[in-house]
Amino acid sequence: MTAPGRPAEPEGKEPAAAADPLTVVRGRGYVVLLLIAAVLGVPISAAAFGFLALVNKLQSLTYTDLPKALGFHDTPSWWPVPLLAVAGLLVGPIIRYLPGGGGHEPAHGFVASGPTPTVNVPGVALAAVASLGLGAVIGPEAPLIALGSGLAVAALRLVRKPFPKQATALVGASGSFAAISTLLGSPLLGAFLLMEMTGVAGMMLGVVLVPGLLASGIGALIFTGLGSWTGLGTYSLTLPDVPHASAPDAAGFGWALLIGVAAALLGVGIRWLALLLLGLVAPRRLPATVLAGVVVGLIAFGYAEWTGHAASGVLYSGQSALGPLLATSAQYSAGTLVVLTVCKAVAYCVSMSAFRGGPVFPAMFVGAAGGIALSHLPGLGVTAGIAMGVGAMTAAMLKFPMVSVLLATLLLGKEGLTVMPLVIVAVVVSYVLTLRLTPQPAAAPAAGQKASPSPSG
């Protein structure tokens, strides 16, 4: 993201020195941008709330209401197979034919690419609703970030007044802040996610962060008000009734090292498989997306038949399933938890290769399920296992260490603060090892050397 207020450079001249952040903040234009961010935070957060409510209603309609309407007493364990085939039939053409390809490829992780063009907004929304609502193992955060920025830029165009490119980027970022204001449990967590994603640092961090925080705070108020008024809640990530965590000890730090290593290996494997499958799906998008949906459905069906637990444990992002998983963890054997972790991870790979959404919540669920499974072994409590699993797995998939620590600790409330030292160790180990194991991108060609054409043209 480019700093607001920086003038464009004349062609053929050396870049001028970056604008002084204090000069930018003291300018009248910055105050105007703050007002725009505050005003846009209201409708964008309301639209984000409606998006999440629609996805939640679609999940309930297709997985619970529709089977009952067809005469089934309970949802059959095979039900996800045709449901996700339909998801593939819907998402494939959206990606293939609508502008923007339905949003970014989740297998590539978070990529800071600037505000979403207005023409891409319908495709992003439709692909995400079909993917999330019909059971793909993908999260809502990436589509919300894209939709928030796209709606903000579209609103600027209604003013019919030209805005500098840097100001447009800042307003677009503020729209993203508003859209995910409560999704991760706190406006601050959404802010840290976006800041680590864009890589803005130094004094310019405050210039970009202040409008975003303003929009995020207003968005959180809108989410809370709409949740209370509609009775639907805020769709915020929460874990009620977290078990007591004992103070960290030597065994806990040993587990932190092991969990960090295991999460890095699993995360690198998930990303490698997702990218491998993406290479197979992209050239044959329409049939391959349907096939990917069927595969995810079969994985959920196999899990339900093997373990006796609901297939929904494997489906969806896992955001709303984290609380029930913790509350009913005593009903899962260690073996069942391992099967759940493996099935969720593989379905996560397949979903990222073909559907549209974000990588955060499935990574958290995989880490939580793995942490609970490991808590059956000596020296590791359930709360510490969840916290370290969530933090280390998120770090492995996102490569955002600060967000990973905050997610794992704030999610668990005061018990998370108790185990924070263990989470930090697990996250650092996972993050560093992930960077070491991830292949480096090929170096750009030197000046004057002709670049090779990309395979995609």
Side-chain angles (χ1 to χ4, degrees):
M1 183 183 300
T2 312
R6 180 173 177 173
E9 301 298 338
E11 187 176 354
K13 293 191 176 183
E14 293 296 323
D20 178 16
L22 293 180
T23 301
V24 174
V25 173
R26 290 167 180 162
R28 192 182 72 169
Y30 189 73
V31 176
V32 173
L33 289 177
L34 286 176
L35 292 175
I36 292 174
V39 171
L40 291 181
V42 176
I44 289 175
S45 56
F49 182 91
F51 172 86
L52 293 173
L54 174 62
V55 168
N56 185 71
K57 182 63 178 177
L58 187 59
Q59 290 176 351
S60 176
L61 178 68
T62 56
Y63 196 80
T64 303
D65 297 342
L66 185 57
K68 289 182 178 179
L70 294 176
F72 295 101
H73 183 264
D74 293 312
T75 303
S77 56
W78 51 261
W79 187 257
V81 179
L83 196 64
L84 280 152
V86 172
L89 283 171
L90 295 173
V91 174
I94 293 171
I95 296 174
R96 178 75 176 272
Y97 297 113
L98 291 189
H104 84 294
E105 295 283 0
H108 292 153
F110 281 115
V111 179
S113 56
T116 303
T118 304
V119 69
N120 293 356
V121 168
V124 171
L126 291 173
V129 167
S131 299
L132 295 164
L134 296 178
V137 185
I138 211 77
E141 68 287 342
L144 283 176
I145 290 171
L147 292 173
S149 69
L151 291 174
V153 172
L156 277 185
R157 291 186 175 180
L158 295 177
V159 179
R160 298 186 179 278
K161 177 182 177 181
F163 284 85
K165 182 179 179 180
Q166 293 81 2
T168 302
L170 192 148
V171 171
S174 299
S176 296
F177 275 78
I180 63 167
S181 55
T182 66
L183 186 65
L184 300 176
S186 166
L188 283 176
L189 277 172
F192 272 105
L193 174 64
L194 289 167
M195 299 316 297
E196 283 201 282
M197 182 178 75
T198 56
V200 179
M203 292 188 67
M204 194 55 69
L205 173 63
V207 176
V208 180
L209 185 60
V210 169
L213 284 176
L214 179 60
S216 186
I218 291 172
L221 291 174
I222 298 299
F223 264 74
T224 301
L226 287 175
S228 176
W229 178 57
T230 62
L232 298 175
T234 61
Y235 302 106
S236 179
L237 181 63
T238 57
L239 275 185
D241 303 323
V242 177
H244 174 72
S246 57
D249 55 15
F253 280 100
W255 275 113
L257 296 174
L258 291 174
I259 290 175
V261 171
L265 295 174
L266 181 57
V268 170
I270 288 174
R271 188 179 297 105
W272 173 83
L273 180 56
L275 290 171
L276 176 66
L277 293 174
L278 175 60
L280 300 174
V281 169
R284 47 190 73 83
R285 174 62 65 179
L286 299 182
T289 307
V290 176
L291 180 60
V294 171
V295 170
V296 174
L298 288 173
I299 293 171
F301 171 58
Y303 166 78
E305 289 295 302
W306 193 356
T307 65
H309 290 272
S312 57
V314 172
L315 302 177
Y316 307 118
S317 69
Q319 174 191 357
S320 59
L322 277 172
L325 176 65
L326 175 60
T328 61
S329 59
Q331 301 175 15
Y332 290 79
S333 67
T336 299
L337 288 166
V338 171
V339 173
L340 174 60
T341 303
V342 172
C343 289
K344 189 81 171 184
V346 177
Y348 181 25
C349 295
V350 179
S351 296
M352 284 198 295
S353 72
F355 292 96
R356 289 294 184 261
V360 175
F361 291 110
M364 293 178 65
F365 188 92
V366 169
I372 297 174
L374 291 174
S375 70
H376 286 259
L377 298 173
L380 181 64
V382 173
T383 301
I386 290 177
M388 288 189 285
V390 168
M393 198 66 216
T394 306
M397 293 306 301
L398 304 185
K399 302 178 187 175
F400 298 161
M402 182 65 73
V403 168
S404 301
V405 171
L406 291 174
L407 265 177
T409 53
L410 296 183
L411 176 65
L412 299 169
K414 65 177 182 179
E415 305 301 334
L417 297 177
T418 301
V419 298
M420 181 182 281
L422 302 178
V423 174
I424 292 173
V425 172
V427 165
V428 169
V429 171
S430 176
Y431 175 69
V432 173
L433 186 55
T434 297
L435 294 183
R436 295 293 298 269
L437 294 174
T438 302
Q440 295 299 313
Q449 184 178 359
K450 187 176 180 180
S452 301
S454 64
S456 60

